[in-house]
Amino acid sequence: MNKSLLLFSILIFLSGNVLFSQVFDKPVRKKSLETLEKTPFSMQNDSLNNSGEISVTLSGKTKYTDYKIISHNRDTTYIDTTLTIQKDYKFNYLRTDNFELLGFHNQGQTFTNLGYDFSNLKLFPDIGFTAKQFSYLDIDEIKYYEVPTPTTEITYRTGLQQGQVLDAIFTLNFSKRLNVSLSYKGIRSLGAYRRSLASNGNFRGAFHYRTKNNRYAMRGHITSQDFFNEESGGLPQVEIDKFESNDDNYTTRARLDVNLNDAENQFNSKRIYLDHSYKLVAVKDTTNNKDFSNLKFGHIFTNETKEYRFIQTTTTTAIFGDENSANARNEIAKTTITNNELNLEFNSKYVLGQFKAKINLTNYSHGYDSILNSNSNISKIKLEGNAISVGADWNAKIKNFQLNATGNISPGTGRLSGNFLKGEALYKKDSLFALKGSLLISSKSPNFNTLLHQSKYDDYNWQNNFNAVNTRNLGFDFSSKWINASLNFTNIDNYTYFNENNKPVQFDNQITYLKVKVSKEIKYWKLALDNTIMYQNVSSGSSVFRVPELVTRNTFYYEDYWFKGKPMLVNVGATFKYFTKYKMNAYNPLLAEFTLQDTQEIGFPTVDVFFNAQVRRTRLYFKIDNVTSSFTKKNYFSAPNYPYRDFTIRFGMVWNWFI
């Protein structure tokens, strides 16, 4: 990521001319800032609920709603610099609420799934190595900005032992119709145990543009992402005994031996994405007896490459079995998918909204440069092919109902053949409540690493011809000021997983999975109790699909403004999290996947204490992780052989500024 970081720095430097030219072109700004200093702090907080001007005001016409964040689906939100308990949940390396995840002890390592989401599956299979992709940013996770002035957000968080996390976002407008953003998230954290260094980076550059008459529009992004981890293989049993006995000689965790002393894995990816469209017919009046209006032709280009390799430089280990040392080398798996989508979109009184017809031309390649192990029976070094798929999107609004549907079918018998259908209906009753129902039906090939994998270790070489994985998910979501709840019911045929022998296999029967989640915050005076409870049940297939029956998170906190003039908003409290015992999947560092195990049940509570504060547009976070670990039983593990983090103090901040 050095090249990406250098490019990021150069572009910010070059943007300085634009930035300062905007400053000197607007002499009224000084007056606006002077006015701001006289404004009570309680009126300066940036919030999505504010109705007036906020502290980023540069003139009487600029409001917080001018600082827009546009999602991949073109939903618009605003830059929000408030301090809430939800912001505390998202103040982590992933920058998302990780309620359904259990992190390993060091930031930048992988996560164990405590719950699964099948509501938004991808159309095509992925390279796999899923344990390396929790912090990977997909196409739908890239944000586009539209701001009237240069805007920056800096997020900082301390690492474990040595290192830190930094996420920097810089966006500006070269004109009202052209906005550009540059972002970089990097982490380097040593960790408390041996061989647990994490060094990751996510670079993103995005833009969107439209012509004066709004007929032609274009947006796109480039990403360069890399994830490097030293792999310890966890603790051997003799060291686990020392950990669980709370031996005073090993409270410094680096004194404990680990299973692997020279193992590393690396995941790299680069992506180019371009989406542009032209309105062939643009009619402002859509009720003038015309069959079509705003007829639009579009093209989307995507090229994405992912690479994974497991590295052992000198020694071998009995953990992975026998090896073919004659051809020992670094195994590099590479997947490239190139997709061109042509689409035609229009509004019609006959379809009650927007309708888009599309055709996709896809080329894929997955494999290796040569046969890595002469003891294997592999006959192919690459899986390659092409596919054509057709589909449609439909979006309509009828009074309080919003209807959305998307579908795609790829005929044939190739690895990209299959189908995808997702529909949802949303009913919103003013600001009282919203109810959404959704249905997803998907059929696609398993991930490529289950079909073809090579290694210098004999037991890690396979070439499979699996059936398509068929998934059906029915979901309901209810949100209101009283309670939020969701229910998902999922059926999976040909579920593909890694068994106790670290081999990919398909389950002969059907997986039946129920997930119910409820959240409610209770407030009284300056105190609040935020509760989230998730219940899960696997009525069929529990022998291979394993989740804890109950996961709960309860946060009790105090929130108030401090000091004269209310310059600081603080919330102080503690978060309790617990999941019931179950046979948690084991982590395999060679595969970067989680595999079945039948020897250990894991489930434990944790308590985190926090002090957060907001001063203007700066949010400060101070947290003590697993505060009870110093006097409770040492039974906390992120996966078999991998202890969860001990008592850890963390500090961080999020800082926005607008010029």
Side-chain angles (χ1 to χ4, degrees):
M1 292 307 296
N2 292 334
K3 293 182 179 178
S4 298
L5 184 59
L6 178 61
L7 175 62
F8 179 66
S9 304
I10 293 173
L11 289 174
I12 290 182
F13 176 77
L14 294 177
S15 301
N17 293 333
V18 178
L19 186 153
F20 286 111
S21 66
Q22 292 196 30
V23 172
F24 293 121
D25 287 344
K26 294 190 177 182
V28 298
R29 184 165 304 173
K30 182 176 180 181
K31 182 177 180 180
S32 299
L33 293 176
E34 291 174 351
T35 304
L36 172 65
E37 297 297 331
K38 299 178 182 179
T39 304
F41 177 74
S42 59
M43 297 177 62
Q44 295 178 15
N45 291 337
D46 302 349
S47 173
L48 302 184
N49 299 319
N50 286 348
S51 58
E53 297 176 359
I54 60 167
S55 57
V56 299
T57 301
L58 305 182
S59 70
K61 298 180 180 179
T62 303
K63 299 182 179 181
Y64 76 97
T65 54
D66 296 323
Y67 292 81
K68 301 176 182 178
I69 303 174
I70 304 169
S71 71
H72 174 73
N73 294 326
R74 292 185 168 85
D75 297 322
T76 301
T77 56
Y78 310 109
I79 294 177
D80 181 11
T81 63
T82 57
L83 178 66
T84 64
I85 192 62
Q86 299 302 323
K87 294 288 186 68
D88 178 78
Y89 296 152
K90 295 180 180 181
F91 189 70
N92 51 56
Y93 171 60
L94 297 182
R95 303 298 305 276
T96 59
D97 187 346
N98 57 6
F99 170 74
E100 297 185 22
L101 298 175
L102 175 65
F104 277 41
H105 91 278
N106 191 18
Q107 293 181 110
Q109 290 183 295
T110 189
F111 295 81
T112 293
N113 280 297
L114 301 179
Y116 292 87
D117 183 9
F118 296 98
S119 62
N120 192 26
L121 297 177
K122 296 179 182 179
L123 178 61
F124 300 123
D126 188 55
I127 187 176
F129 309 107
T130 55
K132 298 291 291 183
Q133 297 198 61
F134 282 97
S135 54
Y136 184 80
L137 297 176
D138 282 309
I139 291 175
D140 58 355
E141 295 178 282
I142 301 299
K143 296 181 175 62
Y144 303 88
Y145 294 83
E146 185 173 308
V147 295
T149 62
T151 302
T152 303
E153 179 177 285
I154 299 292
T155 300
Y156 171 82
R157 195 174 191 229
T158 55
L160 190 63
Q161 300 297 323
Q162 299 177 21
Q164 54 276 320
V165 179
L166 180 67
D167 191 357
I169 302 170
F170 176 73
T171 178
L172 77 162
N173 63 325
F174 288 95
S175 71
K176 190 174 183 179
R177 294 172 284 107
L178 174 61
N179 278 255
V180 176
S181 65
L182 298 171
S183 310
Y184 181 81
K185 179 169 71 172
I187 178 176
R188 185 174 178 86
S189 184
L190 182 62
Y193 294 84
R194 296 183 189 179
R195 304 295 301 174
S196 57
L197 170 68
S199 179
N200 306 336
N202 306 71
F203 171 78
R204 299 94 74 196
F207 75 96
H208 66 98
Y209 167 79
R210 65 180 185 274
T211 56
K212 287 184 178 180
N213 59 9
N214 289 329
R215 282 209 163 187
Y216 180 77
M218 176 172 57
R219 66 174 180 172
H221 68 256
I222 59 172
T223 62
S224 179
Q225 306 181 65
D226 66 83
F227 309 99
F228 170 83
N229 292 95
E230 292 180 342
E231 294 292 352
S232 68
L235 302 180
Q237 186 58 50
V238 63
E239 304 300 304
I240 293 176
D241 294 339
K242 296 173 184 176
F243 168 78
E244 292 181 334
S245 65
N246 200 21
D247 191 327
D248 291 339
N249 294 320
Y250 296 96
T251 54
T252 301
R253 300 307 187 189
R255 294 179 179 176
L256 294 170
D257 291 330
V258 294
N259 283 314
L260 301 175
N261 293 310
D262 63 344
E264 304 167 348
N265 57 25
Q266 177 86 40
F267 188 95
N268 297 328
S269 173
K270 296 184 184 299
R271 182 174 64 238
I272 300 175
Y273 176 85
L274 179 64
D275 178 0
H276 57 133
S277 62
Y278 181 78
K279 290 183 179 179
L280 302 174
V281 179
V283 180
K284 294 182 180 179
D285 182 10
T286 60
T287 62
N288 55 359
N289 298 322
K290 289 184 177 291
D291 290 342
F292 302 103
S293 65
N294 295 328
L295 184 63
K296 185 190 298 184
F297 174 77
H299 169 242
I300 301 176
F301 170 79
T302 307
N303 179 266
E304 186 170 39
T305 298
K306 295 181 178 180
E307 294 181 352
Y308 172 80
R309 60 177 176 171
F310 176 77
I311 308 164
Q312 269 190 297
T313 54
T314 55
T315 62
T316 59
T317 174
I319 292 177
F320 303 127
D322 297 332
E323 65 153 335
N324 183 353
S325 58
N327 289 336
R329 59 164 64 185
N330 298 340
E331 46 252 32
I332 302 177
K334 181 177 181 180
T335 297
T336 300
I337 294 182
T338 301
N339 185 72
N340 280 279
E341 177 185 301
L342 302 176
N343 58 68
L344 189 65
E345 178 182 323
F346 58 92
N347 296 331
S348 169
K349 60 183 179 182
Y350 301 112
V351 297
L352 300 173
Q354 291 183 331
F355 183 83
K356 178 192 289 186
K358 54 189 179 182
I359 181 171
N360 285 270
L361 309 175
T362 308
N363 173 269
Y364 73 93
S365 172
H366 167 80
Y368 303 78
D369 292 333
S370 63
I371 298 294
L372 303 182
N373 190 321
S374 59
N375 291 337
S376 70
N377 295 320
I378 292 176
S379 59
K380 289 185 178 181
I381 62 172
K382 289 184 182 295
L383 306 177
E384 298 177 306
N386 301 281
I388 298 177
S389 60
V390 295
D393 299 336
W394 177 51
N395 305 99
K397 186 174 183 180
I398 307 173
K399 294 185 178 179
N400 291 337
F401 282 93
Q402 176 71 44
L403 304 175
N404 304 307
T406 180
N408 215 84
I409 182 169
S410 180
T413 59
R415 293 182 181 88
L416 296 191
S417 64
N419 58 75
F420 179 89
L421 175 64
K422 181 179 181 181
E424 54 185 31
L426 173 66
Y427 176 79
K428 187 174 183 180
K429 179 62 175 177
D430 302 324
S431 59
L432 296 178
F433 69 88
L435 177 64
K436 184 177 75 172
S438 62
L439 174 66
L440 181 144
I441 301 174
S442 169
S443 177
K444 68 174 185 177
S445 170
N447 288 335
F448 286 120
N449 70 329
T450 67
L451 304 178
L452 177 64
H453 187 270
Q454 293 197 63
S455 172
K456 68 180 181 180
Y457 289 100
D458 294 342
D459 293 337
Y460 289 83
N461 293 269
W462 53 75
Q463 182 179 325
N464 296 313
N465 187 22
F466 286 144
N467 296 322
V469 179
N470 302 315
T471 306
R472 297 166 296 279
N473 182 80
L474 178 65
F476 297 94
D477 293 271
F478 177 80
S479 59
S480 70
K481 61 181 180 181
W482 306 289
I483 196 170
N484 297 321
S486 65
L487 181 150
N488 284 273
F489 185 77
T490 307
N491 290 118
I492 308 174
D493 294 322
N494 301 323
Y495 175 68
T496 307
Y497 64 98
F498 289 87
N499 63 16
E500 298 90 337
N501 298 319
N502 305 300
K503 300 283 188 180
V505 293
Q506 287 195 313
F507 188 53
D508 294 333
N509 299 318
Q510 187 180 88
I511 302 292
T512 302
Y513 171 48
L514 173 68
K515 181 174 74 171
V516 180
K517 184 158 56 172
V518 178
S519 61
K520 168 65 177 176
E521 184 176 37
I522 303 171
K523 288 189 174 182
Y524 173 75
W525 186 55
K526 300 175 183 180
L527 303 176
L529 178 64
D530 184 77
N531 305 285
T532 302
I533 300 175
M534 180 172 68
Y535 169 78
Q536 300 177 107
N537 179 267
V538 182
S539 58
S540 175
S542 59
S543 61
V544 299
F545 188 89
R546 298 171 179 175
V547 292
E549 184 177 30
L550 185 67
V551 182
T552 180
R553 179 180 64 194
N554 311 92
T555 301
F556 181 74
Y557 67 100
Y558 161 88
E559 183 176 75
D560 192 19
Y561 287 98
W562 282 7
F563 307 116
K564 184 177 180 181
K566 299 182 177 180
M568 177 186 290
L569 174 67
V570 301
N571 56 41
V572 185
T575 297
F576 170 84
K577 187 174 181 178
Y578 169 74
F579 62 94
T580 53
K581 285 188 176 182
Y582 74 110
K583 291 181 179 178
M584 179 184 291
N585 288 343
Y587 173 60
N588 186 310
L590 188 153
L591 293 174
E593 295 280 6
F594 286 87
T595 66
L596 292 185
Q597 60 87 25
D598 289 314
T599 59
Q600 185 177 3
E601 286 192 339
I602 297 175
F604 59 91
T606 60
V607 177
D608 301 336
V609 176
F610 60 88
F611 176 91
N612 304 328
Q614 176 190 8
V615 180
R616 294 185 179 271
R617 290 183 299 276
T618 302
R619 281 86 70 207
L620 305 174
Y621 296 87
F622 181 85
K623 177 172 286 189
I624 304 176
D625 292 339
N626 203 7
V627 68
T628 60
S629 63
S630 58
F631 54 84
T632 57
K633 186 178 179 181
K634 296 296 182 291
N635 62 347
Y636 44 88
F637 290 84
S638 299
N641 303 335
Y642 286 87
Y644 183 68
R645 69 179 65 99
D646 298 305
F647 181 101
T648 305
I649 298 176
R650 299 187 185 277
F651 168 78
M653 63 178 294
V654 180
W655 183 20
N656 290 88
W657 69 89
F658 311 87
I659 296 179

